[in-house]
Amino acid sequence: MYKSMEDIRNFEENVKRFFAAGEIPGFVHLYAGEEAIAVGVCAHLTDEDYITSTHRGHGHCIAKGGDLKGMMAEIFGKATGLCKGKGGSMHIADMNKGILGANGMVGGGFGLATGAAMRNKYKKTDRVAVCFFGDGAANEGVFHECLNMASIWKLPVIFVCENNLFAESTPQWYSSASRTIAERAAAYNMPGVRVNGKDVVAVYEAAGEAIERARKGEGPTLIECVTYRNHGHFEGDEQTYKAPSGEEKEWAEVDPLEVFRQYAIENGLLTEEELDQLREESVRDIEEAIEFAKKSPEPSPESLYQDVFAD
Amino acid sequence: MAREILFMKAINEALDQAMAKDENIILLGEDIAGGAEVQHLEEANEDAWGGVMGVTRGLAPKYGRERVIDTPLSEMGYMAAAVGMAVTGLRPVAELMFSDFIGFCFDSIIGQGSKMRYMFGGKAKVPMTVRTMHGAGVNAAAQHSGSYYGLFGSIPGVKVVVPATPYDAKGLLLSAIEDDNLVIFSEDKTLYGMKGEVPEEYYTIPIGKAAIKREGKDLTIVTIGKMLYVGLEVADILEKDNISVEVIDLRTVAPWDEETVLESVKKTGRLIIIDESNPHNNTATDIASVVADKAFDYLDGPIKCVCAPNTPVPFAANLEKLYIPDANKVLTVATEIIDDLRVK
Ligand SMILES: Cc1ncc(C[n+]2csc(CCOP(=O)(O)OP(=O)(O)O)c2C)c(N)n1
């Protein structure tokens, strides 16, 4: 889990750097600060399970085992990218790993995850689907419709809200009539839990319970992970709306990687040296991915017309 | 007095002047003030963003957050609410951040707002404006780059405006807001940084009237939005070949100005339409069918449409460049239909 968190952090810091240098086109939404959520949840999943992701999708893809080289190449718009350069940062998908795509539509994942869970149930598998979404997305109509359907049909789906306190510039406490997102679960007759999204162990435990319920056919769970977005909504955002004080400041100051390092050392899971080694390994892996992306060719002009329809 | 200002400033100024004139005009949309209820902004009554591109900046401090409303991420809800506001006497201007998100709120447009007047026997009006953004060119990939004005234009009861210059942006937006119907005002995101002459005073430009941007006698090129600049570039190039091109900026997609287009084709006998949307069932094909129907006898060659390919918008920069219609593509089809002129 620690390696995966490091991968996300390093991956993103490099994306940030290359975006600033003008080498990465388009919009980039960074996940840094929220690593514990993707990692804590995905640690329970296999390639057979599905996830749906968001516009802030790098972390989910990495945690679910998405190929780092293919991801980086995609973000650089190269032919070797996971989507052959057609998708970019906001649309990375890896079907072999059960990653049904980062999504540029806020709320786009609810229906996809619900549908994937219907498939899993129909096929009588014990596979689950996890829908990652933001606090903002919880205000889209499709959230309510899908939670209701998932509950009446007891679908194996886990709705994981990443409440980083903001939707673009709009604070969660302004845009949500309920204090928490988790309490909305009551309306749909499913468990709703709220955990510290900076603490990978807390997320891991809550997700484990929910996933087990889902696998046993006991239906969906809504998990709200409270966290904070280290960077702007997108790269280039001056964040003039942020006012870190009080509760917001407390969330902003916690680094999930540090939290986990401390936990691991205190509980004798890993030594400081082992942790450092993992960090170095991660730096190397990301460097390789960057090199691969940079060396890769641009998509061919003919590819513009390919893959619009299935043959 | 006219001075040079940015396209986005022209839109901002139109909203500002409209709001000053009529207190029933209310803006709503996601992040259009930015940071509502963030204490340091609220106390100073400031806005943080003024929309993702900063187009509405300054309006929240001036008119207050009761008239510049940050909505939750609820397109279905706030767009439907805008219809409700409009039918009960307000004049909402709702911003849909990117026109690709229309799917989330199509009922408001297809099922409610566009047909209320008709269904209710002319006893209702829905004076609302939807401001939205379209167009490829910023590597925003498939879910943030589409051009759907043609799709909107095919719905009865909806007017659709696509401005190409700062001057038009202001005058047409003021008309849209004054209009008693549901008007979709679609802004090309790549034009926001363009400068042009815009009068300071309040003025309107009629919806449904195209602009002849350049007169000519051999070939008519009709353009929509940003494609105007491709049309003008082609006209410049062909002029060196002694071919005189008439360039028409359609300005309004629904209703579109049949009279101006037909008159021009009757004069030139040749027509090319440049439209950045996907090639089927779009505005270009609609114009082609009307011209073929009403001006067939005047045509000296086939009508040509130059559109984006029938694909979603790709991410990679080289592919996106191929996607957007450019002067080369227009010249290729122009050559096919003006060969006879060159022979002379
Ligand atoms: C349907 C739709 N509406 C609006 C947007 C623009 N948009 C992109 S991200 C975002 C904020 C999302 O907030 P949240 O769900 O909390 O996720 P976070 O960015 O905080 O991770 C908005 C409004 C969009 N992409 N799709």
Side-chain angles (χ1 to χ4, degrees):
Chain A
M1 288 204 288
Y2 180 70
K3 167 73 165 47
S4 190
M5 286 167 82
E6 279 289 350
D7 282 348
I8 298 172
R9 181 66 58 88
N10 284 324
F11 188 92
E12 294 234 307
E13 262 158 26
N14 280 290
V15 167
K16 186 177 168 71
R17 187 158 63 89
F18 288 113
F19 185 81
E23 291 187 50
I24 289 175
F27 303 160
V28 167
H29 306 87
L30 297 182
Y31 190 69
E34 308 184 27
E35 295 87 347
I37 304 172
V39 171
V41 173
C42 290
H44 295 283
L45 305 178
T46 71
D47 290 354
E48 306 278 275
D49 296 310
Y50 298 108
I51 65 163
T52 64
S53 175
T54 67
H55 55 287
R56 206 176 295 292
H58 306 158
H60 309 135
C61 295
I62 293 175
K64 188 70 172 42
D67 176 54
L68 292 174
K69 288 182 181 161
M71 282 182 63
M72 193 60 91
E74 186 57 39
I75 293 174
F76 273 82
K78 296 301 181 71
T80 53
L82 282 174
C83 309
K84 302 182 194 161
K86 302 272 189 67
S89 163
M90 247 188 309
H91 306 295
I92 294 176
D94 193 344
M95 293 298 156
N96 296 330
K97 299 279 181 185
I99 302 171
L100 303 179
N103 208 313
M105 298 290 168
V106 172
F110 292 115
L112 298 176
T114 302
M118 288 170 79
R119 177 248 175 235
N120 288 346
K121 184 169 182 182
Y122 178 70
K123 294 278 187 189
K124 300 197 166 51
T125 67
D126 70 347
R127 300 186 190 180
V128 300
V130 173
C131 172
F132 289 104
F133 64 100
D135 51 284
N139 294 321
E140 292 283 7
V142 66
F143 163 91
H144 304 278
E145 297 175 20
C146 286
L147 263 72
N148 189 52
M149 289 191 289
S151 182
I152 60 171
W153 297 327
K154 285 209 180 319
L155 299 178
V157 53
I158 298 91
F159 298 100
V160 179
C161 178
E162 304 178 310
N163 180 359
N164 60 20
L165 311 188
F166 286 95
E168 297 208 341
S169 69
T170 305
Q172 184 253 331
W173 59 89
Y174 165 81
S175 59
S176 172
S178 60
R179 252 292 282 142
T180 69
I181 304 297
E183 72 195 73
R184 295 186 185 185
Y188 303 106
N189 194 22
M190 69 173 80
V193 289
R194 195 164 199 252
V195 298
N196 178 351
K198 293 279 191 181
D199 179 353
V200 71
V201 179
V203 175
Y204 180 83
E205 281 168 4
E209 215 169 292
I211 290 168
E212 199 184 310
R213 280 190 74 237
R215 291 204 200 279
K216 283 200 304 214
E218 291 172 13
T221 303
L222 172 61
I223 303 175
E224 176 182 7
C225 305
V226 188
T227 182
Y228 198 72
R229 206 178 64 201
N230 283 0
H231 300 292
H233 168 60
F234 48 74
E235 279 308 280
D237 172 8
E238 288 169 4
Q239 310 181 64
T240 39
Y241 49 85
K242 278 191 177 174
S245 64
E247 202 188 342
E248 190 186 333
K249 186 162 189 244
E250 280 167 36
W251 286 110
E253 280 173 355
V254 186
D255 180 352
L257 272 68
E258 286 311 315
V259 171
F260 187 57
R261 278 180 78 97
Q262 251 178 25
Y263 176 88
I265 293 168
E266 275 166 22
N267 290 278
L269 302 176
L270 290 162
T271 64
E272 185 134 14
E273 294 75 59
E274 285 169 324
L275 287 161
D276 287 343
Q277 220 166 25
L278 287 170
R279 180 173 281 175
E280 278 160 30
E281 229 174 85
S282 165
V283 170
R284 272 199 305 276
D285 287 351
I286 303 298
E287 262 165 25
E288 260 176 45
I290 294 166
E291 218 180 280
F292 173 79
K294 287 194 158 183
K295 279 202 190 125
S296 293
E298 284 185 342
S300 69
E302 308 81 66
S303 73
L304 171 61
Y305 306 97
Q306 288 162 1
D307 297 324
V308 177
F309 295 102
D311 302 321
Chain B
M1 209 193 78
R3 72 259 111 105
E4 293 232 319
I5 57 172
L6 294 179
F7 189 94
M8 63 186 261
K9 177 67 190 152
I11 292 166
N12 182 283
E13 199 168 273
L15 294 170
D16 187 358
Q17 292 180 359
M19 290 181 87
K21 196 168 161 210
D22 181 352
E23 64 175 23
N24 287 322
I25 295 168
I26 309 281
L27 311 191
L28 67 168
E30 290 155 11
D31 303 286
I32 61 167
E37 271 208 2
V38 168
Q39 229 177 7
H40 72 277
L41 296 171
E42 211 187 14
E43 278 162 12
N45 205 18
E46 276 178 8
D47 59 4
W49 275 12
V52 269
M53 302 291 183
V55 176
T56 49
R57 181 165 279 168
L59 298 174
K62 194 158 174 189
Y63 297 101
R65 286 170 184 273
E66 276 173 12
R67 293 185 66 195
V68 181
I69 304 171
D70 274 344
T71 64
L73 259 154
S74 306
E75 288 89 359
M76 189 190 289
Y78 77 76
M79 209 52 87
V83 178
M85 289 161 87
V87 80
T88 56
L90 296 179
R91 306 188 80 85
V93 181
E95 178 177 303
L96 176 65
M97 205 183 281
F98 289 82
S99 62
D100 308 66
F101 306 161
I102 193 73
F104 278 69
C105 52
F106 232 161
D107 180 59
S108 309
I109 291 158
I110 274 200
Q112 314 296 333
S114 65
K115 21 184 94 145
M116 281 179 134
R117 183 172 188 80
Y118 187 81
M119 289 191 301
F120 300 166
K123 289 187 185 140
K125 60 181 189 184
V126 186
M128 70 183 265
T129 305
V130 178
R131 280 187 49 242
T132 189
M133 235 187 322
H134 69 265
V138 296
N139 309 103
Q143 290 178 325
H144 287 72
S145 306
S147 294
Y148 301 106
Y149 38 76
L151 189 67
F152 306 147
S154 69
I155 306 166
V158 175
K159 295 188 182 181
V160 182
V161 178
V162 185
T165 67
Y167 176 84
D168 285 356
K170 179 172 172 184
L172 284 166
L173 181 54
L174 285 169
S175 288
I177 294 171
E178 280 184 8
D179 200 288
D180 278 342
N181 294 286
L182 199 167
V183 183
I184 297 186
F185 190 84
S186 199
E187 299 155 15
D188 191 305
K189 56 178 86 67
T190 62
L191 291 179
Y192 284 140
M194 159 176 276
K195 266 194 168 176
E197 274 203 7
V198 177
E200 268 171 44
E201 58 276 7
Y202 187 107
Y203 65 96
T204 56
I205 295 171
I207 291 177
K209 215 56 218 107
I212 299 174
K213 287 291 179 179
R214 180 175 172 133
E215 300 212 12
K217 53 185 181 17
D218 299 326
L219 165 67
T220 299
I221 296 185
V222 172
T223 67
I224 300 167
K226 173 177 68 176
M227 293 298 113
L228 167 63
Y229 304 101
V230 178
L232 290 173
E233 190 185 341
V234 169
D236 278 343
I237 296 169
L238 290 178
E239 189 176 36
K240 293 185 192 120
D241 235 353
N242 276 329
I243 291 165
S244 138
V245 180
E246 180 141 303
V247 180
I248 298 176
D249 170 9
L250 201 60
R251 294 205 288 205
T252 306
V253 163
W256 59 268
D257 186 352
E258 270 188 40
E259 196 186 321
T260 301
V261 174
L262 288 171
E263 280 311 307
S264 178
V265 172
K266 285 177 183 173
K267 181 170 66 172
T268 64
R270 295 174 187 82
L271 174 62
I272 295 175
I273 308 143
I274 320 178
D275 181 347
E276 194 191 303
S277 62
N278 298 119
H280 303 300
N281 305 307
N282 64 7
T283 309
T285 58
D286 190 43
I287 295 173
S289 88
V290 171
V291 172
D293 179 22
K294 298 190 175 166
F296 187 75
D297 291 344
Y298 296 88
L299 288 170
D300 294 325
I303 301 166
K304 294 285 183 183
C305 299
V306 180
C307 301
N310 191 27
T311 71
V313 184
F315 167 69
N318 69 321
L319 295 185
E320 190 184 41
K321 202 158 170 285
L322 286 175
Y323 177 94
I324 304 171
D326 63 9
N328 273 335
K329 283 188 199 142
V330 181
L331 283 168
T332 309
V333 305
T335 308
E336 288 173 34
I337 57 175
I338 55 183
D339 262 356
D340 52 331
L341 288 175
R342 289 210 162 103
V343 178
K344 269 186 240 163

